Amino acid sequence: MLTSATLVGTLVVFAAAMAIVIALRPSITNSTGGKIFAFAALLVVPVLAGTAGVSEHVEKSKETEFCLSCHVMEQYGKSLHIDDRAHIPAVHFQNHLVPADRACFTCHTTYTLFGDYKAKIHGLRHVYVQYLGTIPAQIKLYEPYRNRECLHCHLGARSFEEGATHNLEPATLPAVKAGKVSCISSGCHDTVHDVANLNKQTLWPGATK
Amino acid sequence: MERGLRFSAIFISAGLLVELFTLFSARPTAFILFVGLGGLLIAAGIVLYLFTLLRDLVPRKEGTP
């Protein structure tokens, strides 16, 4: 099956082949056709290939494998395997309520290199800290977790709209939807990546990621 | 001019090869190498190509090689 990476790879190989022709036979640029070829080989096609490659990498940064490739994220990856339905990320991951191969990005949309420019700068800073800086003992979110990430899927869902606890008080549901009451820190769904107690947890062996 | 074009093409093909080797990896280091090394080599090649073109367009003074 042709993947986007294969297509981009083909474009890069094609671009490299064109540039190599110029490197081996620069004299072909003496003719008009050769000048046009050189313009394509040394400017247009490399720019296209480079842009397509960056786009491919940005797409890859959404993958769970990408996030968990940093040592500091290993514990967070393990927390997706906790065998306890009270653990929100684990239950989402194990039941494929989020795509397993894009688990991190689905709930942390402002992270990795895929978010806005601020997220991209944060992403680059993470790479810097990973290899050259000091990794903090405890990782914290840049800003409080937003309900938007939950409502992206749950808004309009019957289990959310008609949930008994959500409708216990008439003001609860509107407050959650408005982001005034946090889904995860209001004593409701507050067990998230409990990495501090990971050793005490039973892990579900079923998944490989 | 041919010398400039040759070096430009070498830079660009080297950059593209770096990009090819790092393209299929889903690791942050691959992205950094892709942009930091591959992108830099390509950019250097393109700048050299444009500089070579520009230098060829500017009329030379008589007596200069």
PDB file of all heavy atoms in Angstrom, chain A residues 157-171:
ATOM      1  N   ALA A 157     -22.925  13.390  23.104  1.00  0.00           N
ATOM      2  CA  ALA A 157     -23.056  11.940  23.311  1.00  0.00           C
ATOM      3  C   ALA A 157     -24.089  11.690  24.426  1.00  0.00           C
ATOM      4  O   ALA A 157     -24.123  12.424  25.419  1.00  0.00           O
ATOM      5  CB  ALA A 157     -21.711  11.340  23.696  1.00  0.00           C
ATOM      6  N   ARG A 158     -24.876  10.669  24.262  1.00  0.00           N
ATOM      7  CA  ARG A 158     -25.964  10.403  25.211  1.00  0.00           C
ATOM      8  C   ARG A 158     -25.435  10.184  26.634  1.00  0.00           C
ATOM      9  O   ARG A 158     -25.991  10.695  27.598  1.00  0.00           O
ATOM     10  CB  ARG A 158     -26.758   9.183  24.741  1.00  0.00           C
ATOM     11  CG  ARG A 158     -28.021   8.987  25.534  1.00  0.00           C
ATOM     12  CD  ARG A 158     -28.872   7.889  24.948  1.00  0.00           C
ATOM     13  NE  ARG A 158     -30.094   7.731  25.732  1.00  0.00           N
ATOM     14  CZ  ARG A 158     -31.000   6.808  25.500  1.00  0.00           C
ATOM     15  NH1 ARG A 158     -30.843   5.962  24.504  1.00  0.00           N
ATOM     16  NH2 ARG A 158     -32.083   6.718  26.249  1.00  0.00           N
ATOM     17  N   SER A 159     -24.346   9.416  26.716  1.00  0.00           N
ATOM     18  CA  SER A 159     -23.781   9.109  28.039  1.00  0.00           C
ATOM     19  C   SER A 159     -23.335  10.385  28.755  1.00  0.00           C
ATOM     20  O   SER A 159     -23.376  10.462  29.984  1.00  0.00           O
ATOM     21  CB  SER A 159     -22.603   8.158  27.897  1.00  0.00           C
ATOM     22  OG  SER A 159     -21.635   8.732  27.042  1.00  0.00           O
ATOM     23  N   PHE A 160     -22.942  11.368  27.993  1.00  0.00           N
ATOM     24  CA  PHE A 160     -22.493  12.627  28.593  1.00  0.00           C
ATOM     25  C   PHE A 160     -23.693  13.525  28.896  1.00  0.00           C
ATOM     26  O   PHE A 160     -23.847  14.033  30.009  1.00  0.00           O
ATOM     27  CB  PHE A 160     -21.531  13.342  27.634  1.00  0.00           C
ATOM     28  CG  PHE A 160     -21.170  14.743  28.066  1.00  0.00           C
ATOM     29  CD1 PHE A 160     -20.298  14.950  29.122  1.00  0.00           C
ATOM     30  CD2 PHE A 160     -21.719  15.846  27.419  1.00  0.00           C
ATOM     31  CE1 PHE A 160     -19.976  16.248  29.529  1.00  0.00           C
ATOM     32  CE2 PHE A 160     -21.396  17.133  27.821  1.00  0.00           C
ATOM     33  CZ  PHE A 160     -20.529  17.339  28.874  1.00  0.00           C
ATOM     34  N   GLU A 161     -24.556  13.674  27.917  1.00  0.00           N
ATOM     35  CA  GLU A 161     -25.685  14.609  28.065  1.00  0.00           C
ATOM     36  C   GLU A 161     -26.704  14.114  29.102  1.00  0.00           C
ATOM     37  O   GLU A 161     -27.292  14.915  29.818  1.00  0.00           O
ATOM     38  CB  GLU A 161     -26.391  14.807  26.709  1.00  0.00           C
ATOM     39  CG  GLU A 161     -25.498  15.362  25.604  1.00  0.00           C
ATOM     40  CD  GLU A 161     -25.159  16.839  25.755  1.00  0.00           C
ATOM     41  OE1 GLU A 161     -25.772  17.505  26.599  1.00  0.00           O
ATOM     42  OE2 GLU A 161     -24.252  17.299  25.026  1.00  0.00           O
ATOM     43  N   GLU A 162     -26.900  12.782  29.166  1.00  0.00           N
ATOM     44  CA  GLU A 162     -27.923  12.242  30.075  1.00  0.00           C
ATOM     45  C   GLU A 162     -27.326  11.553  31.303  1.00  0.00           C
ATOM     46  O   GLU A 162     -28.045  10.909  32.049  1.00  0.00           O
ATOM     47  CB  GLU A 162     -28.822  11.261  29.305  1.00  0.00           C
ATOM     48  CG  GLU A 162     -29.622  11.942  28.198  1.00  0.00           C
ATOM     49  CD  GLU A 162     -30.545  10.970  27.463  1.00  0.00           C
ATOM     50  OE1 GLU A 162     -30.599   9.774  27.835  1.00  0.00           O
ATOM     51  OE2 GLU A 162     -31.198  11.416  26.512  1.00  0.00           O
ATOM     52  N   GLY A 163     -26.019  11.682  31.464  1.00  0.00           N
ATOM     53  CA  GLY A 163     -25.356  11.050  32.608  1.00  0.00           C
ATOM     54  C   GLY A 163     -25.971  11.516  33.916  1.00  0.00           C
ATOM     55  O   GLY A 163     -26.236  12.708  34.099  1.00  0.00           O
ATOM     56  N   ALA A 164     -26.191  10.554  34.840  1.00  0.00           N
ATOM     57  CA  ALA A 164     -26.892  10.869  36.089  1.00  0.00           C
ATOM     58  C   ALA A 164     -26.165  11.948  36.894  1.00  0.00           C
ATOM     59  O   ALA A 164     -26.792  12.905  37.364  1.00  0.00           O
ATOM     60  CB  ALA A 164     -27.043   9.591  36.917  1.00  0.00           C
ATOM     61  N   THR A 165     -24.856  11.815  37.041  1.00  0.00           N
ATOM     62  CA  THR A 165     -24.099  12.789  37.842  1.00  0.00           C
ATOM     63  C   THR A 165     -24.081  14.155  37.157  1.00  0.00           C
ATOM     64  O   THR A 165     -24.162  15.189  37.816  1.00  0.00           O
ATOM     65  CB  THR A 165     -22.649  12.294  38.050  1.00  0.00           C
ATOM     66  OG1 THR A 165     -22.685  10.903  38.342  1.00  0.00           O
ATOM     67  CG2 THR A 165     -21.971  13.026  39.180  1.00  0.00           C
ATOM     68  N   HIS A 166     -23.989  14.137  35.840  1.00  0.00           N
ATOM     69  CA  HIS A 166     -23.959  15.404  35.099  1.00  0.00           C
ATOM     70  C   HIS A 166     -25.265  16.183  35.266  1.00  0.00           C
ATOM     71  O   HIS A 166     -25.274  17.402  35.124  1.00  0.00           O
ATOM     72  CB  HIS A 166     -23.710  15.154  33.604  1.00  0.00           C
ATOM     73  CG  HIS A 166     -22.357  14.593  33.315  1.00  0.00           C
ATOM     74  ND1 HIS A 166     -22.022  14.031  32.106  1.00  0.00           N
ATOM     75  CD2 HIS A 166     -21.235  14.497  34.085  1.00  0.00           C
ATOM     76  CE1 HIS A 166     -20.771  13.614  32.136  1.00  0.00           C
ATOM     77  NE2 HIS A 166     -20.273  13.880  33.326  1.00  0.00           N
ATOM     78  N   ASN A 167     -26.357  15.462  35.527  1.00  0.00           N
ATOM     79  CA  ASN A 167     -27.668  16.118  35.613  1.00  0.00           C
ATOM     80  C   ASN A 167     -28.213  16.175  37.044  1.00  0.00           C
ATOM     81  O   ASN A 167     -29.385  16.518  37.225  1.00  0.00           O
ATOM     82  CB  ASN A 167     -28.668  15.401  34.696  1.00  0.00           C
ATOM     83  CG  ASN A 167     -28.316  15.629  33.236  1.00  0.00           C
ATOM     84  OD1 ASN A 167     -28.484  16.717  32.711  1.00  0.00           O
ATOM     85  ND2 ASN A 167     -27.787  14.601  32.591  1.00  0.00           N
ATOM     86  N   LEU A 168     -27.389  15.851  38.000  1.00  0.00           N
ATOM     87  CA  LEU A 168     -27.818  15.895  39.399  1.00  0.00           C
ATOM     88  C   LEU A 168     -28.221  17.321  39.793  1.00  0.00           C
ATOM     89  O   LEU A 168     -29.231  17.545  40.456  1.00  0.00           O
ATOM     90  CB  LEU A 168     -26.669  15.402  40.293  1.00  0.00           C
ATOM     91  CG  LEU A 168     -27.033  14.722  41.593  1.00  0.00           C
ATOM     92  CD1 LEU A 168     -27.926  13.510  41.336  1.00  0.00           C
ATOM     93  CD2 LEU A 168     -25.777  14.275  42.342  1.00  0.00           C
ATOM     94  N   GLU A 169     -27.412  18.263  39.366  1.00  0.00           N
ATOM     95  CA  GLU A 169     -27.717  19.690  39.557  1.00  0.00           C
ATOM     96  C   GLU A 169     -27.926  20.295  38.169  1.00  0.00           C
ATOM     97  O   GLU A 169     -27.150  20.008  37.254  1.00  0.00           O
ATOM     98  CB  GLU A 169     -26.525  20.396  40.229  1.00  0.00           C
ATOM     99  CG  GLU A 169     -26.139  19.855  41.598  1.00  0.00           C
ATOM    100  CD  GLU A 169     -27.108  20.268  42.688  1.00  0.00           C
ATOM    101  OE1 GLU A 169     -27.821  21.284  42.496  1.00  0.00           O
ATOM    102  OE2 GLU A 169     -27.193  19.564  43.707  1.00  0.00           O
ATOM    103  N   PRO A 170     -28.933  21.144  38.030  1.00  0.00           N
ATOM    104  CA  PRO A 170     -29.181  21.720  36.694  1.00  0.00           C
ATOM    105  C   PRO A 170     -28.025  22.572  36.171  1.00  0.00           C
ATOM    106  O   PRO A 170     -27.865  22.731  34.964  1.00  0.00           O
ATOM    107  CB  PRO A 170     -30.440  22.574  36.890  1.00  0.00           C
ATOM    108  CG  PRO A 170     -30.889  22.386  38.287  1.00  0.00           C
ATOM    109  CD  PRO A 170     -29.918  21.590  39.032  1.00  0.00           C
ATOM    110  N   ALA A 171     -27.233  23.097  37.082  1.00  0.00           N
ATOM    111  CA  ALA A 171     -26.155  23.999  36.642  1.00  0.00           C
ATOM    112  C   ALA A 171     -24.883  23.255  36.230  1.00  0.00           C
ATOM    113  O   ALA A 171     -23.986  23.851  35.619  1.00  0.00           O
ATOM    114  CB  ALA A 171     -25.821  24.968  37.769  1.00  0.00           C
TER     115      ALA A 171
END
